[in-house]
């Protein structure tokens, strides 16, 4: 089982981290007397002797700071692809490779899986470009897998989407649904025959656009 920090552990972690949190900053943010925080840091007062109310204020402040750090980290890594060490690169690569494999092997809605898989591929492209520029390496085997996914599996995803939603539809109707004018009579008739809704058609058209953009 994962060990959870007690309130005392959280307060001690905050008090000991004088590199990131000054006594003034803690006092201003929590309302706890600055002299009390200084005494804790000097060892003149024990965390265990604090009142519950004061300990809870300090513990809550520590939790909020940890949550903010985690959110900032996730934004930096997953949204901006900026890494501070090799471990973060490895975690990023493993995360999206695992997620991609799960999506491809899933029996859930193919269109939903396609959208998420495309997102995974975009992240793979980003890390392949960003990591070397930032001075980090990508495992050779993982690099080969990602490059294969980007170059080959992308088209297979599109085929799966197309086949799952447009099987048993004749070629002319498929053309109308994927490329035809949505306001035309031919398109509307094809849509009725195929018994598909607007969301399905829009998702399939997006898949086609993504594939064309990828190949350009």
């Amino acid at each position: 089982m994962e060990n959870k920090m007690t309130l005392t552990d959280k307060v001690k972690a905050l008090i000991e981290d004088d590199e990131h949190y000054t006594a003034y900053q803690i006092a201003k943010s929590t309302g706890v007397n600055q002299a009390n925080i200084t005494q804790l840091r000097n060892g003149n007062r024990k965390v265990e002797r604090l009142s519950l109310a004061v300990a809870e204020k300090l513990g809550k402040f520590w939790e909020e700071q940890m949550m903010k750090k985690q959110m900032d980290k996730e934004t930096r890594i997953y949204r901006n692809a900026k890494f501070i060490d090799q471990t973060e690169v490895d975690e990023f690569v493993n995360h999206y490779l695992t997620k991609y494999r799960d999506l491809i092997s899933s029996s859930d809605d193919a269109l939903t899986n396609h959208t998420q898989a495309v997102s995974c591929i975009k992240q793979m492209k980003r890390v392949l470009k960003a990591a070397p520029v930032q001075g980090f390496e990508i495992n050779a085997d993982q690099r080969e897998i990602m490059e294969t996914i980007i170059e080959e599996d992308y088209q297979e995803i599109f085929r799966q989407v197309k086949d799952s939603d447009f099987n048993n539809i004749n070629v002319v109707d498929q053309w109308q649904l994927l490329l035809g004018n949505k306001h035309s009579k031919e398109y509307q008739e094809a849509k009725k025959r195929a018994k598909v809704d607007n969301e399905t058609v829009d998702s399939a058209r997006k898949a086609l656009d993504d594939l064309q953009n990828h190949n350009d």
Side-chain angles (χ1 to χ4, degrees):
M1 294 179 61
E2 181 182 354
N3 293 326
K4 293 185 177 180
M5 295 183 71
T6 64
L7 178 59
T8 299
D9 292 334
K10 295 173 184 177
V11 175
K12 285 183 176 180
L14 175 63
I15 295 302
E16 292 170 2
D17 193 357
D18 56 0
E19 180 180 353
H20 296 98
Y21 309 106
T22 65
Y24 171 77
Q25 178 187 1
I26 297 172
K28 183 178 180 180
S29 299
T30 63
V32 175
N33 190 289
Q34 184 175 343
N36 289 342
I37 299 169
T38 300
Q39 289 178 341
L40 288 167
R41 285 190 163 166
N42 292 339
N44 296 326
R45 189 170 185 178
K46 300 294 184 182
V47 171
E48 292 80 2
R49 301 296 298 272
L50 291 172
S51 68
L52 179 59
V54 170
E56 286 180 340
K57 288 180 180 180
L58 295 175
K60 182 179 180 182
F61 175 73
W62 184 88
E63 290 175 350
E64 291 172 347
Q65 295 305 304
M66 292 304 102
M67 185 177 297
K68 183 177 183 299
K69 282 184 178 181
Q70 183 60 30
M71 291 176 64
D72 290 345
K73 178 181 178 180
E74 291 179 358
T75 297
R76 174 173 53 78
I77 296 175
Y78 293 102
R79 187 174 298 175
N80 300 323
K82 292 183 179 179
F83 311 99
I84 62 172
D85 56 36
Q86 186 64 47
T87 299
E88 290 186 346
V89 175
D90 295 339
E91 290 176 351
F92 185 95
V93 170
N94 289 331
H95 172 77
Y96 283 106
L97 281 176
T98 300
K99 184 176 181 180
Y100 180 86
R101 292 191 188 104
D102 290 344
L103 289 167
I104 295 304
S105 61
S106 173
S107 60
D108 294 337
D109 180 66
L111 286 171
T112 300
N113 288 353
H114 166 266
T115 301
Q116 295 185 33
V118 169
S119 177
C120 287
I121 291 171
K122 288 181 179 178
Q123 294 288 19
M124 291 178 196
K125 289 181 179 179
R126 292 174 69 203
V127 72
L128 286 172
K129 181 178 180 180
V133 173
Q134 297 172 38
F136 302 113
E137 298 179 352
I138 297 176
N139 175 278
D141 291 337
Q142 291 180 322
R143 172 181 289 277
E144 183 177 356
I145 292 172
M146 286 192 290
E147 290 175 345
T148 299
I149 289 172
I150 293 169
E151 296 301 325
E152 298 178 7
D153 289 5
Y154 193 98
Q155 296 189 35
E156 179 59 27
I157 296 171
F158 173 72
R159 284 194 291 270
Q160 291 177 6
V161 172
K162 180 174 176 295
D163 291 345
S164 66
D165 291 280
F166 292 94
N167 54 357
N168 301 322
I169 304 175
N170 70 56
V171 175
V172 174
D173 284 350
Q174 286 186 28
W175 184 92
Q176 284 293 345
L177 292 170
L178 290 171
L179 301 172
N181 185 336
K182 285 188 175 183
H183 301 291
S184 69
K185 178 180 178 181
E186 291 78 9
Y187 169 86
Q188 295 300 330
E189 290 177 348
K191 182 180 167 186
K192 288 180 181 179
R193 285 192 292 269
K195 297 180 180 179
V196 293
D197 56 23
N198 289 329
E199 183 178 358
T200 299
V201 175
D202 289 343
S203 297
R205 286 188 172 214
K206 183 179 184 302
L208 181 59
D209 289 340
D210 289 341
L211 180 61
Q212 291 173 332
N213 292 334
H214 171 76
N215 290 332
D216 287 343

